[in-house]
Amino acid sequence: SNDEPYDMFSDDIILDPAFQASITDDSVGYYLESLIPISKANEVKNIIKISKEKNAEQARKYIQLYWSKTAPIATYDQWIKYKLQIQMVEKLYSNNFQEGFETDRGRVYLQYGSPNEIINREFQPGEYPYQIWRYNKIGSFSNKRFVFYNPDLTNNAYRLLHSDMVGELKNPSWPRELAKRTTMNGNVD
């Protein structure tokens, strides 16, 4: 992919009134940054650059252009569907120091969709609270899982500990990491 930013600052890009109405001035930066979990590396660079400039019109143009390239058919509907997912992720996974989409669980949800099964273990003796998300199908991959844990025991701040999905964090000793809560220096022997 090309590292060049989209040519979005020309005057020939006209904002769709529906997009303008769907994003208030005080939330345009939030919704711009919420595209990061589903963006490619060069798109993330563009988002960060635009976010630093704090120009609401440029941010709106980028959001509209992003969705017109991602979903050329039913662009506005796809944007609203994603916006609702962002709001749900915010409600479920945000904590005192991260927005919902910035958390590991929020990113995985937005990137791969809703898991088919969630195994929740918050009160296991001797282990940190953890969740295992299982996906029957992600693209061409089958039977993938993500293990999140909360080593701080506060703030709903679960972190990705292990996944068998290609391109994600792999930690074959993840069960040992969970048991470090009650073992000295992580040595289970």
Side-chain angles (χ1 to χ4, degrees), residues 155 175 181:
N155 287 330
R181 183 174 177 186

Side-chain angles (χ1 to χ4, degrees), residues 15-67:
L15 284 172
D16 179 350
F19 268 88
Q20 285 184 307
S22 70
I23 307 170
T24 61
D25 284 339
D26 61 343
S27 65
V28 69
Y30 171 82
Y31 285 115
L32 174 67
E33 291 174 8
S34 76
L35 296 174
I36 289 174
I38 60 170
S39 297
K40 296 174 187 159
N42 64 319
E43 294 169 335
V44 171
K45 288 179 188 176
N46 293 335
I47 291 168
I48 291 169
K49 179 181 178 222
I50 295 165
S51 183
K52 286 181 181 177
E53 292 171 4
K54 298 193 185 304
N55 183 321
E57 184 178 346
Q58 288 179 351
R60 279 193 173 91
K61 283 182 179 181
Y62 188 89
I63 293 169
Q64 180 176 326
L65 186 59
Y66 179 91
W67 284 104

